[in-house]
Amino acid sequence: MLGDPSLTLEPLRVSHAAEMSPVLADPILYEFTGGEPPSLETLRQRYVRQSRGMSPDGTEAWLNWIIRVVDTRTAVGFVQASIRVETVPVTASLAWLIDPTHQGRGYARRASSLVIDALRAQGVTEFRASIADGHVASERVATRLGMRRTEERDDDEAVWRL
C-alpha cells in the first residue's frame, strides 16, 4: 500500500465496486471523457478485469489504486498506471479521477506523485497522461506534477509528459 500522512492508495479489489459506485456517480465526471456513470454491476465487471493487473494480450501491466483519505477512511477517487511491457524507455500512462465533492484539495496530485515515486523505484523512467482539451482541472494536476503538454495526440486528447 502507498500513502502519505493524508492519503492511502489501496490496490484495486473487486470488493471496492460497492464503495466506488457513488464516488463515480456524478455525470460531471464524464463531461470530458465521455460515457456515463457505471452501474454497480458494470463497475464490478470492470474491476474484475482491472484487478488482474495485466491486459488480456499481456502487453500492458495495469496498476490501479483507490484513493482514500486517512482521517475519514473515505474513498475519494482512483489513480491508474498502465505500463507497456518490454518497451524502452519504460513509460507509464497515468490517469486520475476524484469525486467532485472532494476536488480542489490536492488529492489527485498527491496520489499521482505517490504512484510516480513508487514506479520510479521500480525502473519506470517516463510518465505521460492524455488529457482532453479544456479539462482545466486535469491540466492543473499535470502541471503540478511537473508534466508538460506536448504536440502529441492520443485519440482526441493532448499528451502530457514528465
Side-chain angles (χ1 to χ4, degrees):
M1 189 172 327
L2 302 174
D4 69 14
S6 61
L7 296 178
T8 58
L9 303 185
E10 294 179 7
L12 179 70
R13 297 184 312 268
V14 176
S15 61
H16 283 123
E19 181 178 19
M20 288 299 292
S21 186
V23 173
L24 303 175
D26 193 327
I28 196 137
L29 291 171
Y30 308 92
E31 179 181 350
F32 291 99
T33 60
E36 58 189 40
S39 69
L40 178 56
E41 185 54 33
T42 298
L43 196 56
R44 278 191 186 115
Q45 292 172 9
R46 180 182 304 161
Y47 285 4
V48 165
R49 288 188 308 275
Q50 290 178 335
S51 64
R52 289 183 188 134
M54 188 66 69
S55 64
D57 65 4
T59 62
E60 276 189 337
W62 291 344
L63 306 171
N64 297 274
W65 296 268
I66 299 302
I67 303 168
R68 192 176 298 282
V69 177
V70 168
D71 291 343
T72 63
R73 301 291 305 141
T74 303
V76 296
F78 65 78
V79 62
Q80 304 173 319
S82 298
I83 303 168
R84 298 286 296 171
V85 176
E86 299 183 16
T87 59
V88 177
V90 180
T91 303
S93 294
L94 301 176
W96 51 81
L97 182 141
I98 302 294
D99 178 337
T101 62
H102 295 279
Q103 290 178 2
R105 300 176 192 176
Y107 295 151
R109 183 199 50 79
R110 289 202 314 274
S112 297
S113 290
L114 289 166
V115 168
I116 288 169
D117 291 345
L119 294 179
R120 277 190 174 135
Q122 298 297 317
V124 176
T125 57
E126 294 187 8
F127 297 87
R128 67 187 302 278
S130 297
I131 300 174
D133 293 328
H135 195 310
V136 175
S138 284
E139 291 173 348
R140 285 184 183 145
V141 170
T143 299
R144 289 182 177 128
L145 290 169
M147 294 180 148
R148 298 289 178 249
R149 183 183 175 125
T150 70
E151 296 300 317
E152 297 171 71
R153 302 294 289 179
D154 182 9
D155 291 324
D156 242 359
E157 298 179 323
V159 175
W160 290 64
R161 291 194 175 270
L162 174 65

